Amino acid sequence: MFKKWNPKSSNAIFGLLLIAPLLVWLLVTIGYPLFLCVKLSFLNVEFIGEKGVFVGLKNYINVVLDASLWHAFRKSLFWVIGNVALQTILGFFAALILNLKIRSVSFMRTWIVLPWILPTVVLAIMWRWMLSGTFGVINYLLEKLGVISQPINYLGSINEAMPALIFINSWRWFPFITVLLLAALQSVPQQEYEAAAVDGANSLQSFFYVTLPNLKPVMTVLGILGPLLTFNVFDVVWLLTQGGPSRATYTVPVLIYERGFKAFALSEAATISVIAFVFLAMFVVVYLLLTKMSVSEYARE
């Protein structure tokens, strides 16, 4: 006989129909390329279009035994930690300043996003000129201020190249963090500050007991977004140093690009990509466990 109509199941089916286009889009744009990448890592393809032969785990063994992979991972870890720390500090202080009721703050809120919207090529040309060891304005100003005694070739020095890249990338992305933190700051209930003032809290105590707890959800989400986005940055590194000098800025994305499109070892490049994907997935799982937040909570924040 006919089953009784259940409105809950009808709503569930209707919900699935609504998200079906998004699921198809994710499968086509992420799932299928990921499947091809994993498949490629088990073949011996050198050029795009070549069919290749199944070689099992040979690529994984070769890549894991290659010192270049671990060198690139060490550089990427340094790159990620430096960027996340600097961007968070810059973004945090910028958000606190922009949250003040001072003159011209609206103008500053509008134009602080300028570094974020600059095309990467423009950014690379601009910073190459500013950091030049022969005619760069940074060297000129530091010499005039007495900070340095002779010009420094920041992007050509083994010791200075990575810190210079971290500074440039942080300069570009800290407005993104500023905007998120500023939105969180403006949503802090004013009654909480008033209650803290009634209890005799000074400005510093209000900051630690009212402001910081309200920023915690946003900062927790940034703790997962920042490392993931920073780890995969390729354009800034490649345009400014191409992994040099002497592989001082040789991060994992640079290694993947060189292995795939300069050394013509496409399967090895796919293998490194799969290893990097597994590494990032493990980071996400550990982070979610440590922060005890679910995926839905992250989406809501």
Side-chain angles (χ1 to χ4, degrees):
M1 298 300 291
F2 295 106
K3 291 183 178 179
K4 188 178 179 181
W5 178 70
N6 187 346
K8 287 187 177 179
S9 62
S10 299
N11 287 336
I13 293 172
F14 182 66
L16 285 174
L17 288 175
L18 287 177
I19 64 171
L22 177 62
L23 291 176
V24 172
W25 180 80
L26 288 175
L27 283 174
V28 171
T29 59
I30 298 177
Y32 184 62
L34 185 61
F35 166 74
L36 288 181
C37 188
V38 174
K39 179 185 173 185
L40 194 60
S41 68
F42 290 103
L43 304 176
N44 65 343
V45 176
E46 296 178 343
F47 303 95
I48 295 175
E50 188 182 357
K51 289 187 177 178
V53 177
F54 180 75
V55 293
L57 295 173
K58 183 182 177 183
N59 288 326
Y60 285 91
I61 295 171
N62 290 340
V63 165
V64 170
L65 294 178
D66 189 349
S68 297
L69 176 71
W70 306 112
H71 174 81
F73 262 101
R74 283 196 298 273
K75 291 298 176 183
S76 283
L77 284 177
F78 185 72
W79 162 258
V80 169
I81 292 171
N83 269 286
V84 170
L86 189 56
Q87 288 174 28
T88 304
I89 292 170
L90 292 175
F92 196 80
F93 280 103
L96 289 176
I97 293 171
L98 293 180
N99 195 44
L100 297 174
K101 295 176 182 177
I102 55 177
R103 193 176 180 182
S104 304
V105 73
S106 299
F107 175 82
M108 291 161 61
R109 285 177 185 172
T110 303
W111 287 102
I112 196 173
V113 298
L114 185 61
W116 184 23
I117 60 177
L118 272 180
T120 309
V121 174
V122 175
L123 175 141
I125 294 172
M126 183 182 76
W127 279 103
R128 270 185 175 278
W129 171 73
M130 292 176 69
L131 294 176
S132 170
T134 52
F135 49 81
V137 67
I138 300 293
N139 275 315
Y140 174 79
L141 292 174
L142 292 179
E143 278 189 296
K144 287 293 181 186
L145 292 172
V147 178
I148 58 175
S149 57
Q150 58 183 4
I152 299 174
N153 185 11
Y154 295 97
L155 298 176
S157 165
I158 295 176
N159 295 324
E160 310 295 340
M162 181 59 90
L165 283 186
I166 289 173
F167 176 78
I168 294 168
N169 195 59
S170 299
W171 174 83
R172 184 187 192 192
W173 282 102
F174 90 90
F176 173 71
I177 296 176
T178 302
V179 170
L180 293 180
L181 290 176
L182 181 61
L185 280 172
Q186 296 196 330
S187 66
V188 178
Q190 194 61 33
Q191 295 88 340
E192 293 189 17
Y193 288 112
E194 293 170 358
V198 170
D199 290 340
N202 57 32
S203 300
L204 198 60
Q205 289 170 326
S206 295
F207 174 76
F208 281 107
Y209 294 108
V210 177
T211 305
L212 272 185
N214 281 286
L215 292 181
K216 186 181 175 183
V218 175
M219 295 189 74
T220 307
V221 173
L222 286 174
I224 197 169
L225 283 180
L228 293 180
L229 294 174
T230 307
F231 185 92
N232 290 311
V233 169
F234 169 75
D235 49 3
V236 172
V237 180
W238 187 255
L239 287 171
L240 287 168
T241 63
Q242 297 190 351
S246 299
R247 303 205 305 174
T249 59
Y250 200 71
T251 56
V252 172
V254 174
L255 171 64
I256 293 171
Y257 176 80
E258 284 205 334
R259 198 59 63 89
F261 300 102
K262 298 189 80 175
F264 300 110
L266 210 56
S267 286
E268 285 194 9
T271 305
I272 300 168
S273 300
V274 172
I275 292 173
F277 171 77
V278 172
F279 173 76
L280 293 177
M282 288 172 60
F283 163 75
V284 171
V285 171
V286 171
Y287 190 87
L288 289 173
L289 291 174
L290 289 176
T291 56
K292 297 179 181 178
M293 287 182 76
S294 65
V295 175
S296 59
E297 286 174 312
Y298 275 99
R300 188 170 63 249
E301 294 298 337

